[in-house]
Structures are given as C-alpha cells and as structure tokens.
C-alpha cells in the first residue's frame, strides 16, 4: 500500500517534505583538575618580583602636555590688552560686587568726562599676559570678577571722586607711572596737589634760591664799595682840613709884618 502510494505520487510530480537529521557522537570534555593548595603556595612564594627603579619613571620622562594654540578671539583680546598697558600711565583694578548694568553704564559715562576708560578682560588672558611682563606683581589682584579702569594721564583725584558714590565696586590696587600702589596708596596719591601747583612751588623755590645766591654774591662787593667810599670821604675830609689849616697859617704870617 505504501509502495503504491509512493508510485502514484511520483507519477503526479509531488514529493512530501523531507528533513535530514545528522546524529553525531557527544563531544568529550575534560575539566582541568584543580591545583593543590601547597603547590599554589609554593608558586606564590617563588614568583619573580622585578626590582623597583631608584627614580620613578614619571620623574625621568616628563609628561608631554598638549600645546593648544590660542584662538582668534584670544589673540585679539591679548593684542588689545597689550595696547592698553602700553598706552596708559594709570591702570587701576576694581572688584565687581554685583553692580547692575544701569549703574555700570552711568559710571562709565561719568568716567568718560575725565577721559578715563573702563575695560573688561577674562582672567585667563590677563594671567597669561601679566606672567611675562613687568606687571606680574598685579597677578594676585585678578581673582573673580574684575574691572580695569585706565587713563593715559594719572588722574587719581578725578577717579576717586567719581567712584566714591558707587559702593558696588571696591578698589584693589593700581599701577601709576610704573609704580604699584595699594588701596591706601592710591587714596594718598589722589590727595596730592596737582602738577601745576607742584610746578609753581618748584619754580618759586628755585627762584628764591637763585635770588639768595645773587644776594650773597653781591653782598661782598657792595660792602667793599661802601668801605672804599667811606675811606675816600675820610681821605678827602682830611685833605680839606689840612688845606684850611695851611690857608689860616698863611693868613697869619701875612698879617704879622703889616702890624
């Protein structure tokens, strides 16, 4: 019956689905035998430990830090900073204590009346620039939010009068004509008289000294001239006295024979 069915199916061209299954033998697996405890101890004791170098390797080979080139903005800010420190004789550093934008704008306007300008630079740019210049002693002042106020001429008096009413900023220090000043030093410098008054005092002192020198130089010849004039008067008086006595004697001699 089965053969008959198979024949009929082959004649009609239809075959039932077939699946080939391979039955292989089971793989042989060997498990490693655990090492004996004494052998483990022996291997641990006899393990080679290389000697440590006298100087650590990190000290022999210094770390190679990655050199990052500054961006275009950093180069521009650094160039502006160099021009600011080169062209201004008075450079003051203030601490920004949360001043509002409106008060900052009014302060900037009041400072511009005296030709005093306000500058802002990042601390990173400031520190990298000041570290290689003669202004490196100003580095401790640049911590947190700072404001740099500069002027081409030293105008400490006008600056202190202008910022006196603004309590949101505090003076930390300054560099005036290449000399570093603390807060109290700037206050004392602002109390000094102006340059015109100092020039007048210097000119007056020099004039007085020259006048005294001329007077001392002229006193000797004048005294000598007075003495010589007095001597001449005395000599002329003595000469006239002798002449008068001589004339009287002549008159007496002439008068005696006639009597």
């Amino acid at each position: 019956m089965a053969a008959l069915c198979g024949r009929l199916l082959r004649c009609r061209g239809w075959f039932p689905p077939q699946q080939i299954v391979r039955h292989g033998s089971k793989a042989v697996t060997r498990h490693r035998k655990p090492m004996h405890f004494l052998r483990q101890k022996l291997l641990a004791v006899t393990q080679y430990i290389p000697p440590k170098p006298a100087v650590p390797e990190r000290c022999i080979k210094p770390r190679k830090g990655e050199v990052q080139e500054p961006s275009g903005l950093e180069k521009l800010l650094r160039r502006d900073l160099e021009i600011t420190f080169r062209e201004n004789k008075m450079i003051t550093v203030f601490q920004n204590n949360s001043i509002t934008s409106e008060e900052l704008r009014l302060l900037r306007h009041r400072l511009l009346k005296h030709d005093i300008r306000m500058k802002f630079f990042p601390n990173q740019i400031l520190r990298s620039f000041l570290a290689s210049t003669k202004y490196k002693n100003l580095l401790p002042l640049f911590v947190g939010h700072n404001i740099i106020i500069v002027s081409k001429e030293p105008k400490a008096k006008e600056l202190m009068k202008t910022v006196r009413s603004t309590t949101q900023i505090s003076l930390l220090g300054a560099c005036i004509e290449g000399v570093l000043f603390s807060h109290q030093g700037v206050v004392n410098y602002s109390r000094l008289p102006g340059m015109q008054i100092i020039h007048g005092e210097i000119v007056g002192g020099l004039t007085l000294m020259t006048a005294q020198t001329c007077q001392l130089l002229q006193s000797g010849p004048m005294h000598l001239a007075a003495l010589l004039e007095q001597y001449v008067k005395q000599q002329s008086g003595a000469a006239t006295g002798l002449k008068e006595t001589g004339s009287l004697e002549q008159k007496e001699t002439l008068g005696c024979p006639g009597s």
Side-chain angles (χ1 to χ4, degrees):
M1 186 67 181
L4 182 60
C5 291
R7 243 183 245 165
L8 291 174
L9 293 173
R10 288 194 197 95
C11 293
R12 294 185 180 182
W14 179 82
F15 295 93
Q18 297 179 359
Q19 183 178 4
I20 300 173
V21 179
R22 181 178 179 182
H23 299 281
S25 60
K26 187 177 181 181
V28 179
T29 57
R30 286 187 177 183
H31 299 284
R32 179 172 291 184
K33 200 173 182 181
M35 190 181 298
H36 196 271
F37 179 70
L38 294 176
R39 187 178 180 186
Q40 292 181 7
K41 290 176 67 175
L42 182 62
L43 290 175
V45 170
T46 57
Q47 187 179 5
Y48 174 72
I49 300 176
K52 294 183 179 179
V55 181
E57 188 177 357
R58 63 178 181 275
C59 298
I60 299 173
K61 297 181 180 179
R63 296 180 180 178
K64 295 182 180 180
E66 297 181 359
V67 180
Q68 296 181 355
E69 294 186 359
S71 61
L73 179 60
E74 292 178 355
K75 292 180 180 178
L76 180 62
L77 290 173
R78 187 182 178 88
R79 193 181 307 117
D80 190 11
L81 186 60
E82 291 177 359
I83 295 172
T84 301
F85 274 80
R86 184 174 63 249
E87 295 183 352
N88 295 282
K89 294 182 179 180
M90 186 182 75
I91 303 168
T92 57
V93 183
F94 285 81
Q95 180 73 33
N96 183 5
N97 299 323
S98 301
I99 186 172
T100 61
S101 59
E102 183 66 22
E103 292 176 346
L104 191 64
R105 186 180 62 82
L106 293 175
L107 178 61
R108 187 196 295 267
H109 179 69
R110 290 199 301 268
L111 290 172
L112 283 175
K113 292 181 180 179
H114 303 286
D115 197 17
I116 302 175
R117 303 185 181 277
M118 190 181 297
K119 299 285 186 177
F120 295 92
F121 295 100
N123 287 342
Q124 183 180 0
I125 305 295
L126 281 165
R127 288 181 172 277
S128 62
F129 169 73
L130 295 176
S132 59
T133 60
K134 62 180 181 180
Y135 304 102
K136 58 184 177 181
N137 291 329
L138 290 173
L139 281 173
L141 301 180
F142 293 98
V143 178
H145 299 283
N146 299 108
I147 302 174
I148 301 177
I149 298 178
V150 299
S151 65
K152 294 185 177 180
E153 297 295 332
K155 298 180 180 180
K157 190 173 184 179
E158 293 82 355
L159 174 63
M160 297 306 295
K161 284 184 178 179
T162 306
V163 302
R164 187 180 300 170
S165 59
T166 307
T167 59
Q168 284 81 9
I169 61 173
S170 56
L171 178 63
L172 299 178
C175 179
I176 302 175
E177 293 183 336
V179 181
L180 296 179
F181 289 90
S182 61
H183 173 77
Q184 189 62 37
V186 178
V187 173
N188 296 336
Y189 184 87
S190 64
R191 293 173 181 171
L192 295 175
M195 293 300 295
Q196 295 180 355
I197 299 174
I198 295 175
H199 289 164
E201 292 178 355
I202 293 173
V203 171
L206 294 175
T207 305
L208 180 61
M209 292 175 64
T210 53
Q212 290 177 353
T213 304
C214 293
Q215 186 179 0
L216 290 173
L217 293 174
Q218 293 176 1
S219 62
M222 289 176 65
H223 185 60
L224 179 60
L227 292 175
L228 292 174
E229 186 178 357
Q230 186 177 2
Y231 177 74
V232 170
K233 286 181 181 180
Q234 289 177 357
Q235 293 295 327
S236 62
T240 53
L242 291 173
K243 287 181 180 180
E244 289 177 356
T245 55
S247 62
L248 289 174
E249 289 177 355
Q250 288 179 2
K251 287 180 181 180
E252 290 177 355
T253 55
L254 291 174
C256 289
S259 61

